[in-house]
Amino acid sequence: MKEKGSFEIWRSDNVLSASVTGLWNGSVAARYRSEFIKHASMLLHDRWAHIVYLDNWVLGTPEIEPIIKDLAHWCNNNNLACAAHVYSRNMLKEYQLNKMLVSESNKFELRHFNSIEEAIDWLHDEEFEVRYPEQKVARRFA
């Protein structure tokens, strides 16, 4: 299958952010896992958070599921404290994300938010400093 999905990952202090777009296949998911771990490896000395912007993510083929489950397991074992998913309500998206990420063995807290502001407020409450220039955040949802 031809790649139609993409992503961008960036770090600010102890928060790893990502913006994902398009339809993902196994190849895109594998590249995401590799880049995510590379960026997150700089944060492992302390608890850290992850915020991901998913409004422009279409969904993924079944082959992404074990790859993303593996990434969630890695996060679980490497001090991830909070994960915030930001996207407008979508039952199919929620189903696939929960299938890949929700586990009773998770040590990190995973929450869904409809707005960036709600996600940032929650991360601030959890003592994570999230600072984004407005134009950078706006570009993620363009």
Side-chain angles (χ1 to χ4, degrees), residues 56-114:
N56 294 320
W57 179 60
V58 176
L59 284 175
T61 61
E63 65 190 3
I64 77 166
E65 293 175 7
I67 297 166
I68 300 303
K69 282 181 182 179
D70 178 65
L71 178 58
H73 181 73
W74 183 89
C75 289
N76 202 39
N77 292 323
N78 285 283
N79 291 332
L80 177 64
C82 300
H85 288 173
V86 182
Y87 62 96
S88 300
R89 284 277 175 218
N90 177 310
M91 288 176 56
L92 286 175
K93 198 174 284 190
E94 189 170 346
Y95 172 78
Q96 188 168 38
L97 289 168
N98 286 342
K99 189 175 175 186
M100 295 184 293
L101 299 170
V102 173
S103 169
E104 289 184 20
S105 65
N106 281 354
K107 297 174 193 169
F108 61 89
E109 186 171 358
L110 172 63
R111 290 196 187 177
H112 164 261
F113 299 94
N114 293 314

Short mmCIF file of all heavy atoms in Angstrom, two decimals, residues 56-114:
data_model
loop_
_atom_site.label_atom_id
_atom_site.label_comp_id
_atom_site.label_asym_id
_atom_site.label_seq_id
_atom_site.Cartn_x
_atom_site.Cartn_y
_atom_site.Cartn_z
N ASN A 56 -6.60 15.46 11.88
CA ASN A 56 -6.34 15.21 10.46
C ASN A 56 -5.86 13.79 10.17
O ASN A 56 -5.48 13.48 9.05
CB ASN A 56 -5.32 16.23 9.93
CG ASN A 56 -5.90 17.62 9.93
OD1 ASN A 56 -7.06 17.81 9.61
ND2 ASN A 56 -5.10 18.59 10.32
N TRP A 57 -5.90 12.93 11.20
CA TRP A 57 -5.58 11.51 11.01
C TRP A 57 -6.84 10.81 10.54
O TRP A 57 -7.91 10.95 11.14
CB TRP A 57 -5.08 10.91 12.32
CG TRP A 57 -4.74 9.46 12.25
CD1 TRP A 57 -3.80 8.87 11.46
CD2 TRP A 57 -5.32 8.41 13.04
NE1 TRP A 57 -3.76 7.52 11.69
CE2 TRP A 57 -4.69 7.22 12.66
CE3 TRP A 57 -6.31 8.37 14.01
CZ2 TRP A 57 -5.00 5.98 13.23
CZ3 TRP A 57 -6.63 7.16 14.58
CH2 TRP A 57 -5.98 5.98 14.19
N VAL A 58 -6.75 10.07 9.44
CA VAL A 58 -7.94 9.42 8.89
C VAL A 58 -8.25 8.14 9.65
O VAL A 58 -9.35 7.94 10.11
CB VAL A 58 -7.75 9.14 7.38
CG1 VAL A 58 -8.92 8.36 6.83
CG2 VAL A 58 -7.57 10.45 6.63
N LEU A 59 -7.32 7.27 9.79
CA LEU A 59 -7.37 5.99 10.52
C LEU A 59 -6.15 5.22 10.04
O LEU A 59 -5.34 5.73 9.27
CB LEU A 59 -8.65 5.18 10.26
CG LEU A 59 -9.92 5.65 10.96
CD1 LEU A 59 -11.12 4.83 10.49
CD2 LEU A 59 -9.81 5.61 12.47
N GLY A 60 -6.05 3.97 10.47
CA GLY A 60 -4.94 3.15 10.04
C GLY A 60 -5.40 1.78 9.60
O GLY A 60 -6.45 1.30 10.05
N THR A 61 -4.59 1.15 8.76
CA THR A 61 -4.86 -0.23 8.37
C THR A 61 -4.58 -1.12 9.58
O THR A 61 -3.87 -0.72 10.51
CB THR A 61 -3.95 -0.63 7.20
OG1 THR A 61 -2.59 -0.53 7.62
CG2 THR A 61 -4.20 0.25 5.98
N PRO A 62 -5.12 -2.34 9.60
CA PRO A 62 -4.89 -3.22 10.75
C PRO A 62 -3.42 -3.46 11.08
O PRO A 62 -3.07 -3.71 12.23
CB PRO A 62 -5.60 -4.52 10.35
CG PRO A 62 -6.67 -4.08 9.40
CD PRO A 62 -6.06 -2.92 8.65
N GLU A 63 -2.55 -3.36 10.09
CA GLU A 63 -1.12 -3.63 10.31
C GLU A 63 -0.45 -2.60 11.23
O GLU A 63 0.62 -2.86 11.75
CB GLU A 63 -0.37 -3.74 8.99
CG GLU A 63 -0.33 -2.46 8.20
CD GLU A 63 0.20 -2.63 6.78
OE1 GLU A 63 0.49 -3.76 6.36
OE2 GLU A 63 0.32 -1.61 6.10
N ILE A 64 -1.09 -1.44 11.47
CA ILE A 64 -0.48 -0.46 12.38
C ILE A 64 -0.68 -0.85 13.84
O ILE A 64 0.07 -0.42 14.70
CB ILE A 64 -0.99 0.98 12.15
CG1 ILE A 64 -2.38 1.20 12.74
CG2 ILE A 64 -0.92 1.37 10.70
CD1 ILE A 64 -2.81 2.64 12.86
N GLU A 65 -1.70 -1.64 14.10
CA GLU A 65 -2.10 -1.88 15.49
C GLU A 65 -1.01 -2.52 16.35
O GLU A 65 -0.73 -2.02 17.45
CB GLU A 65 -3.42 -2.64 15.53
CG GLU A 65 -4.55 -1.76 15.01
CD GLU A 65 -5.89 -2.45 14.90
OE1 GLU A 65 -6.03 -3.61 15.36
OE2 GLU A 65 -6.83 -1.81 14.36
N PRO A 66 -0.34 -3.60 15.92
CA PRO A 66 0.72 -4.14 16.77
C PRO A 66 1.91 -3.18 16.93
O PRO A 66 2.57 -3.17 17.97
CB PRO A 66 1.14 -5.44 16.08
CG PRO A 66 0.59 -5.35 14.70
CD PRO A 66 -0.58 -4.42 14.74
N ILE A 67 2.16 -2.36 15.94
CA ILE A 67 3.28 -1.40 16.00
C ILE A 67 2.98 -0.33 17.04
O ILE A 67 3.84 0.01 17.87
CB ILE A 67 3.52 -0.77 14.61
CG1 ILE A 67 3.95 -1.85 13.61
CG2 ILE A 67 4.57 0.35 14.69
CD1 ILE A 67 3.90 -1.42 12.16
N ILE A 68 1.76 0.20 17.04
CA ILE A 68 1.39 1.24 18.00
C ILE A 68 1.24 0.64 19.40
O ILE A 68 1.61 1.27 20.39
CB ILE A 68 0.13 1.99 17.54
CG1 ILE A 68 0.37 2.66 16.17
CG2 ILE A 68 -0.30 3.02 18.59
CD1 ILE A 68 1.54 3.63 16.11
N LYS A 69 0.75 -0.59 19.50
CA LYS A 69 0.69 -1.27 20.80
C LYS A 69 2.09 -1.42 21.38
O LYS A 69 2.30 -1.23 22.58
CB LYS A 69 0.04 -2.65 20.67
CG LYS A 69 -1.45 -2.62 20.58
CD LYS A 69 -2.01 -4.04 20.47
CE LYS A 69 -3.52 -4.00 20.32
NZ LYS A 69 -4.09 -5.35 20.19
N ASP A 70 3.05 -1.78 20.53
CA ASP A 70 4.44 -1.91 20.96
C ASP A 70 4.98 -0.57 21.46
O ASP A 70 5.68 -0.50 22.48
CB ASP A 70 5.29 -2.45 19.81
CG ASP A 70 6.75 -2.57 20.18
OD1 ASP A 70 7.07 -3.38 21.07
OD2 ASP A 70 7.58 -1.84 19.58
N LEU A 71 4.65 0.51 20.75
CA LEU A 71 5.08 1.84 21.18
C LEU A 71 4.46 2.20 22.52
O LEU A 71 5.14 2.75 23.39
CB LEU A 71 4.72 2.88 20.12
CG LEU A 71 5.09 4.33 20.45
CD1 LEU A 71 6.58 4.48 20.72
CD2 LEU A 71 4.65 5.24 19.31
N ALA A 72 3.18 1.90 22.71
CA ALA A 72 2.53 2.17 24.00
C ALA A 72 3.20 1.38 25.12
O ALA A 72 3.39 1.90 26.23
CB ALA A 72 1.05 1.84 23.92
N HIS A 73 3.57 0.15 24.84
CA HIS A 73 4.28 -0.66 25.83
C HIS A 73 5.63 -0.02 26.17
O HIS A 73 6.02 0.06 27.34
CB HIS A 73 4.47 -2.09 25.29
CG HIS A 73 5.15 -3.00 26.23
ND1 HIS A 73 4.56 -3.51 27.35
CD2 HIS A 73 6.41 -3.49 26.22
CE1 HIS A 73 5.41 -4.28 27.99
NE2 HIS A 73 6.55 -4.28 27.32
N TRP A 74 6.35 0.47 25.15
CA TRP A 74 7.62 1.13 25.38
C TRP A 74 7.41 2.37 26.27
O TRP A 74 8.16 2.60 27.21
CB TRP A 74 8.26 1.53 24.04
CG TRP A 74 9.60 2.16 24.18
CD1 TRP A 74 10.81 1.52 24.22
CD2 TRP A 74 9.88 3.57 24.35
NE1 TRP A 74 11.81 2.45 24.39
CE2 TRP A 74 11.27 3.71 24.49
CE3 TRP A 74 9.08 4.70 24.41
CZ2 TRP A 74 11.90 4.94 24.66
CZ3 TRP A 74 9.69 5.93 24.59
CH2 TRP A 74 11.07 6.05 24.71
N CYS A 75 6.39 3.17 25.96
CA CYS A 75 6.09 4.36 26.76
C CYS A 75 5.78 3.98 28.20
O CYS A 75 6.22 4.65 29.14
CB CYS A 75 4.90 5.11 26.16
SG CYS A 75 5.26 5.93 24.61
N ASN A 76 5.02 2.92 28.36
CA ASN A 76 4.63 2.45 29.69
C ASN A 76 5.85 2.10 30.54
O ASN A 76 5.83 2.28 31.75
CB ASN A 76 3.72 1.23 29.53
CG ASN A 76 2.86 0.98 30.73
OD1 ASN A 76 2.35 1.90 31.36
ND2 ASN A 76 2.69 -0.28 31.07
N ASN A 77 6.87 1.61 29.90
CA ASN A 77 8.09 1.21 30.61
C ASN A 77 9.15 2.30 30.68
O ASN A 77 10.25 2.04 31.19
CB ASN A 77 8.68 -0.04 29.96
CG ASN A 77 7.81 -1.24 30.16
OD1 ASN A 77 7.20 -1.42 31.21
ND2 ASN A 77 7.71 -2.08 29.15
N ASN A 78 8.83 3.49 30.16
CA ASN A 78 9.85 4.55 30.09
C ASN A 78 9.35 5.90 30.59
O ASN A 78 9.61 6.94 29.98
CB ASN A 78 10.39 4.66 28.66
CG ASN A 78 11.33 3.52 28.34
OD1 ASN A 78 12.48 3.52 28.75
ND2 ASN A 78 10.82 2.54 27.61
N ASN A 79 8.64 5.88 31.72
CA ASN A 79 8.28 7.08 32.48
C ASN A 79 7.23 7.99 31.85
O ASN A 79 7.07 9.13 32.32
CB ASN A 79 9.50 7.94 32.82
CG ASN A 79 10.39 7.28 33.83
OD1 ASN A 79 9.94 6.50 34.65
ND2 ASN A 79 11.67 7.59 33.78
N LEU A 80 6.50 7.56 30.82
CA LEU A 80 5.41 8.41 30.34
C LEU A 80 4.37 8.50 31.46
O LEU A 80 3.94 7.48 32.00
CB LEU A 80 4.76 7.83 29.08
CG LEU A 80 3.57 8.63 28.55
CD1 LEU A 80 4.00 10.03 28.11
CD2 LEU A 80 2.89 7.89 27.40
N ALA A 81 3.98 9.72 31.81
CA ALA A 81 3.01 9.93 32.88
C ALA A 81 1.62 10.25 32.34
O ALA A 81 0.62 9.78 32.87
CB ALA A 81 3.47 11.06 33.80
N CYS A 82 1.56 11.09 31.30
CA CYS A 82 0.27 11.56 30.77
C CYS A 82 0.32 11.58 29.24
O CYS A 82 1.31 12.00 28.66
CB CYS A 82 -0.01 12.98 31.24
SG CYS A 82 -0.10 13.16 33.02
N ALA A 83 -0.78 11.15 28.64
CA ALA A 83 -0.92 11.22 27.19
C ALA A 83 -2.26 11.88 26.87
O ALA A 83 -3.30 11.44 27.36
CB ALA A 83 -0.85 9.83 26.57
N ALA A 84 -2.22 12.92 26.07
CA ALA A 84 -3.42 13.66 25.69
C ALA A 84 -3.65 13.52 24.19
O ALA A 84 -2.77 13.84 23.39
CB ALA A 84 -3.28 15.14 26.05
N HIS A 85 -4.82 13.01 23.83
CA HIS A 85 -5.23 12.92 22.43
C HIS A 85 -6.19 14.06 22.15
O HIS A 85 -7.17 14.23 22.87
CB HIS A 85 -5.94 11.60 22.15
CG HIS A 85 -5.03 10.43 22.16
ND1 HIS A 85 -5.48 9.15 22.06
CD2 HIS A 85 -3.68 10.34 22.22
CE1 HIS A 85 -4.47 8.31 22.07
NE2 HIS A 85 -3.36 9.02 22.18
N VAL A 86 -5.92 14.83 21.11
CA VAL A 86 -6.77 15.97 20.77
C VAL A 86 -7.40 15.71 19.40
O VAL A 86 -6.69 15.62 18.40
CB VAL A 86 -5.96 17.28 20.74
CG1 VAL A 86 -6.88 18.45 20.42
CG2 VAL A 86 -5.23 17.51 22.06
N TYR A 87 -8.73 15.56 19.39
CA TYR A 87 -9.47 15.40 18.15
C TYR A 87 -10.95 15.55 18.42
O TYR A 87 -11.43 15.29 19.53
CB TYR A 87 -9.19 14.05 17.47
CG TYR A 87 -9.59 12.83 18.26
CD1 TYR A 87 -10.82 12.21 18.04
CD2 TYR A 87 -8.74 12.28 19.21
CE1 TYR A 87 -11.19 11.08 18.75
CE2 TYR A 87 -9.09 11.15 19.91
CZ TYR A 87 -10.32 10.54 19.69
OH TYR A 87 -10.68 9.43 20.40
N SER A 88 -11.67 15.99 17.40
CA SER A 88 -13.13 16.07 17.50
C SER A 88 -13.68 14.65 17.59
O SER A 88 -13.13 13.72 17.00
CB SER A 88 -13.70 16.75 16.26
OG SER A 88 -13.17 18.05 16.14
N ARG A 89 -14.76 14.50 18.32
CA ARG A 89 -15.35 13.17 18.52
C ARG A 89 -15.52 12.43 17.20
O ARG A 89 -16.03 12.97 16.23
CB ARG A 89 -16.71 13.28 19.20
CG ARG A 89 -16.60 13.59 20.66
CD ARG A 89 -16.35 12.31 21.44
NE ARG A 89 -16.14 12.64 22.84
CZ ARG A 89 -15.27 12.05 23.62
NH1 ARG A 89 -14.53 11.08 23.16
NH2 ARG A 89 -15.12 12.41 24.86
N ASN A 90 -15.07 11.18 17.21
CA ASN A 90 -15.18 10.32 16.04
C ASN A 90 -15.14 8.89 16.58
O ASN A 90 -14.12 8.44 17.09
CB ASN A 90 -14.01 10.59 15.09
CG ASN A 90 -14.01 9.69 13.89
OD1 ASN A 90 -14.12 8.48 13.98
ND2 ASN A 90 -13.85 10.31 12.73
N MET A 91 -16.26 8.19 16.47
CA MET A 91 -16.37 6.86 17.07
C MET A 91 -15.37 5.86 16.48
O MET A 91 -14.80 5.05 17.21
CB MET A 91 -17.80 6.34 16.95
CG MET A 91 -18.76 7.07 17.88
SD MET A 91 -20.48 6.56 17.71
CE MET A 91 -20.39 4.82 17.98
N LEU A 92 -15.16 5.90 15.17
CA LEU A 92 -14.21 4.96 14.56
C LEU A 92 -12.78 5.24 15.03
O LEU A 92 -12.02 4.32 15.34
CB LEU A 92 -14.28 5.03 13.04
CG LEU A 92 -15.50 4.39 12.41
CD1 LEU A 92 -15.52 4.64 10.91
CD2 LEU A 92 -15.54 2.90 12.69
N LYS A 93 -12.42 6.51 15.07
CA LYS A 93 -11.09 6.90 15.53
C LYS A 93 -10.89 6.47 16.98
O LYS A 93 -9.86 5.89 17.35
CB LYS A 93 -10.94 8.42 15.38
CG LYS A 93 -9.54 8.92 15.40
CD LYS A 93 -9.50 10.41 15.11
CE LYS A 93 -9.71 10.70 13.64
NZ LYS A 93 -9.46 12.10 13.28
N GLU A 94 -11.88 6.76 17.80
CA GLU A 94 -11.81 6.39 19.21
C GLU A 94 -11.68 4.88 19.39
O GLU A 94 -10.90 4.40 20.20
CB GLU A 94 -13.05 6.91 19.94
CG GLU A 94 -12.98 6.78 21.43
CD GLU A 94 -14.11 7.53 22.13
OE1 GLU A 94 -14.79 8.35 21.50
OE2 GLU A 94 -14.30 7.27 23.32
N TYR A 95 -12.44 4.12 18.59
CA TYR A 95 -12.38 2.67 18.67
C TYR A 95 -10.98 2.16 18.34
O TYR A 95 -10.40 1.35 19.08
CB TYR A 95 -13.41 2.03 17.72
CG TYR A 95 -13.26 0.54 17.61
CD1 TYR A 95 -13.75 -0.30 18.61
CD2 TYR A 95 -12.61 -0.04 16.52
CE1 TYR A 95 -13.60 -1.68 18.53
CE2 TYR A 95 -12.45 -1.41 16.43
CZ TYR A 95 -12.95 -2.23 17.43
OH TYR A 95 -12.78 -3.59 17.36
N GLN A 96 -10.40 2.64 17.22
CA GLN A 96 -9.08 2.14 16.84
C GLN A 96 -8.01 2.58 17.84
O GLN A 96 -7.14 1.79 18.21
CB GLN A 96 -8.69 2.56 15.43
CG GLN A 96 -7.40 1.88 14.98
CD GLN A 96 -7.10 2.01 13.52
OE1 GLN A 96 -7.33 3.06 12.92
NE2 GLN A 96 -6.56 0.96 12.93
N LEU A 97 -8.07 3.81 18.31
CA LEU A 97 -7.09 4.27 19.30
C LEU A 97 -7.19 3.47 20.59
O LEU A 97 -6.17 3.04 21.15
CB LEU A 97 -7.28 5.77 19.58
CG LEU A 97 -6.87 6.69 18.43
CD1 LEU A 97 -7.37 8.10 18.69
CD2 LEU A 97 -5.37 6.67 18.21
N ASN A 98 -8.40 3.26 21.08
CA ASN A 98 -8.57 2.48 22.31
C ASN A 98 -8.09 1.05 22.14
O ASN A 98 -7.48 0.48 23.04
CB ASN A 98 -10.03 2.50 22.77
CG ASN A 98 -10.43 3.82 23.36
OD1 ASN A 98 -9.58 4.63 23.74
ND2 ASN A 98 -11.72 4.06 23.43
N LYS A 99 -8.34 0.47 20.97
CA LYS A 99 -7.90 -0.90 20.69
C LYS A 99 -6.37 -1.02 20.77
O LYS A 99 -5.83 -2.02 21.22
CB LYS A 99 -8.39 -1.30 19.30
CG LYS A 99 -8.20 -2.73 18.94
CD LYS A 99 -8.85 -3.01 17.60
CE LYS A 99 -8.57 -4.42 17.15
NZ LYS A 99 -9.08 -4.66 15.79
N MET A 100 -5.67 0.04 20.35
CA MET A 100 -4.21 0.01 20.33
C MET A 100 -3.58 0.46 21.65
O MET A 100 -2.48 0.03 21.98
CB MET A 100 -3.68 0.92 19.21
CG MET A 100 -4.05 0.47 17.83
SD MET A 100 -3.32 1.49 16.53
CE MET A 100 -4.17 3.05 16.73
N LEU A 101 -4.26 1.33 22.40
CA LEU A 101 -3.59 2.02 23.50
C LEU A 101 -4.14 1.75 24.89
O LEU A 101 -3.42 1.94 25.87
CB LEU A 101 -3.61 3.53 23.24
CG LEU A 101 -2.91 3.97 21.97
CD1 LEU A 101 -3.19 5.43 21.69
CD2 LEU A 101 -1.42 3.70 22.06
N VAL A 102 -5.39 1.37 25.01
CA VAL A 102 -5.98 1.20 26.34
C VAL A 102 -5.63 -0.17 26.87
O VAL A 102 -5.87 -1.18 26.23
CB VAL A 102 -7.51 1.42 26.30
CG1 VAL A 102 -8.13 1.08 27.65
CG2 VAL A 102 -7.83 2.86 25.92
N SER A 103 -5.05 -0.16 28.07
CA SER A 103 -4.66 -1.40 28.72
C SER A 103 -4.73 -1.20 30.23
O SER A 103 -4.37 -0.13 30.74
CB SER A 103 -3.23 -1.78 28.31
OG SER A 103 -2.75 -2.83 29.11
N GLU A 104 -5.17 -2.21 30.93
CA GLU A 104 -5.22 -2.11 32.39
C GLU A 104 -3.83 -2.04 32.99
O GLU A 104 -3.67 -1.61 34.13
CB GLU A 104 -6.01 -3.29 32.96
CG GLU A 104 -7.49 -3.19 32.65
CD GLU A 104 -8.30 -4.30 33.29
OE1 GLU A 104 -7.82 -4.92 34.26
OE2 GLU A 104 -9.42 -4.52 32.82
N SER A 105 -2.82 -2.46 32.24
CA SER A 105 -1.46 -2.43 32.77
C SER A 105 -0.76 -1.08 32.54
O SER A 105 0.37 -0.90 32.95
CB SER A 105 -0.63 -3.55 32.14
OG SER A 105 -0.49 -3.34 30.76
N ASN A 106 -1.44 -0.14 31.88
CA ASN A 106 -0.83 1.17 31.64
C ASN A 106 -0.53 1.88 32.96
O ASN A 106 -1.38 1.96 33.83
CB ASN A 106 -1.76 2.07 30.80
CG ASN A 106 -1.71 1.75 29.33
OD1 ASN A 106 -0.92 0.93 28.89
ND2 ASN A 106 -2.58 2.39 28.58
N LYS A 107 0.67 2.41 33.04
CA LYS A 107 1.06 3.23 34.18
C LYS A 107 0.77 4.70 33.89
O LYS A 107 0.70 5.51 34.79
CB LYS A 107 2.55 3.06 34.46
CG LYS A 107 2.95 1.66 34.84
CD LYS A 107 4.46 1.55 34.97
CE LYS A 107 4.89 0.12 35.04
NZ LYS A 107 6.34 -0.04 34.90
N PHE A 108 0.60 5.05 32.61
CA PHE A 108 0.33 6.43 32.24
C PHE A 108 -1.17 6.65 32.09
O PHE A 108 -1.93 5.73 31.82
CB PHE A 108 1.07 6.83 30.97
CG PHE A 108 0.71 6.05 29.73
CD1 PHE A 108 -0.33 6.47 28.91
CD2 PHE A 108 1.42 4.91 29.37
CE1 PHE A 108 -0.66 5.78 27.76
CE2 PHE A 108 1.11 4.21 28.22
CZ PHE A 108 0.06 4.64 27.41
N GLU A 109 -1.57 7.91 32.29
CA GLU A 109 -2.97 8.27 32.14
C GLU A 109 -3.19 8.79 30.72
O GLU A 109 -2.47 9.66 30.25
CB GLU A 109 -3.36 9.34 33.15
CG GLU A 109 -4.84 9.64 33.14
CD GLU A 109 -5.28 10.55 34.28
OE1 GLU A 109 -4.44 10.93 35.13
OE2 GLU A 109 -6.48 10.88 34.30
N LEU A 110 -4.19 8.24 30.06
CA LEU A 110 -4.53 8.61 28.70
C LEU A 110 -5.90 9.27 28.70
O LEU A 110 -6.86 8.71 29.23
CB LEU A 110 -4.57 7.36 27.82
CG LEU A 110 -5.09 7.50 26.40
CD1 LEU A 110 -4.21 8.43 25.58
CD2 LEU A 110 -5.18 6.13 25.73
N ARG A 111 -5.98 10.49 28.11
CA ARG A 111 -7.25 11.21 28.04
C ARG A 111 -7.46 11.78 26.64
O ARG A 111 -6.50 12.13 25.96
CB ARG A 111 -7.29 12.36 29.04
CG ARG A 111 -7.38 11.91 30.48
CD ARG A 111 -7.81 13.06 31.34
NE ARG A 111 -7.76 12.72 32.75
CZ ARG A 111 -8.03 13.58 33.71
NH1 ARG A 111 -8.35 14.83 33.43
NH2 ARG A 111 -7.97 13.21 34.97
N HIS A 112 -8.73 11.88 26.28
CA HIS A 112 -9.13 12.48 25.02
C HIS A 112 -9.69 13.87 25.28
O HIS A 112 -10.42 14.07 26.26
CB HIS A 112 -10.19 11.63 24.32
CG HIS A 112 -10.90 12.37 23.24
ND1 HIS A 112 -12.12 12.95 23.41
CD2 HIS A 112 -10.51 12.68 21.98
CE1 HIS A 112 -12.49 13.56 22.31
NE2 HIS A 112 -11.53 13.41 21.42
N PHE A 113 -9.34 14.82 24.40
CA PHE A 113 -9.84 16.19 24.51
C PHE A 113 -10.34 16.65 23.15
O PHE A 113 -9.77 16.31 22.12
CB PHE A 113 -8.75 17.13 25.01
CG PHE A 113 -8.25 16.76 26.37
CD1 PHE A 113 -7.14 15.95 26.52
CD2 PHE A 113 -8.90 17.21 27.51
CE1 PHE A 113 -6.69 15.58 27.78
CE2 PHE A 113 -8.46 16.85 28.77
CZ PHE A 113 -7.35 16.03 28.91
N ASN A 114 -11.38 17.47 23.17
CA ASN A 114 -11.92 18.04 21.94
C ASN A 114 -11.18 19.30 21.51
O ASN A 114 -11.32 19.73 20.38
CB ASN A 114 -13.41 18.36 22.11
CG ASN A 114 -14.23 17.11 22.29
OD1 ASN A 114 -14.07 16.14 21.57
ND2 ASN A 114 -15.11 17.13 23.27
#
